[in-house]
Amino acid sequence: MGTLLFREATEADIEVLQSFRNDPDVNRFMVRTYVDPDDLRREWLAVPDSATDYSCVVERDGQVVAMGFLDIVDGSGQPGHPTGTDGVIGYIVHPEATGQGVGSGTARALLQAGFDGLGLRRVTAGANLDNVASVRVLEQAGMRRERHAVKALWHRELGWLDEVEYAMLDDEWLARAL
Ligand SMILES: CC(C)(COP(=O)(O)OP(=O)(O)OC[C@H]1O[C@@H](n2cnc3c(N)ncnc32)[C@H](O)[C@@H]1OP(=O)(O)O)[C@@H](O)C(=O)NCCC(=O)NCCS
């Protein structure tokens, strides 16, 4: 697969990110479909100053092959619960780089960043049930399926789709790494 490098995006990355973010093979599986190119630039360039967004670009041999998403969010519960303890991950592999282990490597790196780097308590990820490759990536990363929501996600071409949600806790991450 080659070594993957995970880093913040810079202005020089924006064009390549724009080139595949709205690809039909990508949008088939995204909840948020079309992303306006100016919004994409603004959102990615704001990441270094954000306290909650740790999204990264994934580079292999000097080429951007994927984007990884890691957002710190609040858990749910009664007032007074700790905040900023949970994370949500996601990923998009460049359509020319799929099937080479990049998605799996990115998911593992995002979990490592969330648990070892940021000290999160719990990390979750969602996917369309029919996104076989993404479901495989999450299961290989050691995440547990916690929820299967029937006809829960609206897709503008496909209508209502089933969604699955996966999770991992910090102690599960530690037990897995031993
Ligand atoms: C889903 C996605 C991230 C997978 O990334 P990838 O780099 O192709 O995945 P990997 O090469 O790491 O493969 C992971 C596993 O999925 C399997 N897989 C990959 N593509 C597949 C496909 N089209 N159908 C079935 N299985 C597939 C691989 O065989 C591998 O399993 P294995 O190790 O048991 O053989 C990538 O296809 C993608 O970005 N898709 C569009 C955007 C998207 O769906 N993002 C996720 C939203 S939840």
Side-chain angles (χ1 to χ4, degrees), residues 29 91-93 98-104 126 131 133-134 136-137 140:
F29 294 109
Y91 34 73
I92 298 174
V93 177
T98 55
Q100 300 164 27
V102 175
S104 302
N131 193 347
S134 188
R136 186 87 190 110
V137 163
Q140 270 182 337

Side-chain angles (χ1 to χ4, degrees), residues 59-117:
E59 197 178 291
R60 183 184 61 189
D61 300 330
Q63 305 289 320
V64 172
V65 288
M67 48 183 118
F69 307 101
L70 170 54
D71 288 286
I72 300 181
V73 297
D74 290 344
S76 54
Q78 296 187 344
H81 68 74
T83 56
T85 57
D86 292 18
V88 181
I89 62 167
Y91 34 73
I92 298 174
V93 177
H94 193 302
E96 288 169 14
T98 55
Q100 300 164 27
V102 175
S104 302
T106 301
R108 277 195 302 272
L110 292 169
L111 289 172
Q112 187 174 16
F115 289 121
D116 296 344

Side-chain angles (χ1 to χ4, degrees), residues 21 26-33 69 91-92 128 154-155:
R21 176 56 186 83
V26 168
N27 277 335
R28 162 73 179 76
F29 294 109
M30 304 307 289
V31 173
R32 185 180 175 198
T33 51
F69 307 101
Y91 34 73
I92 298 174
N128 296 355
W154 173 251
H155 187 288

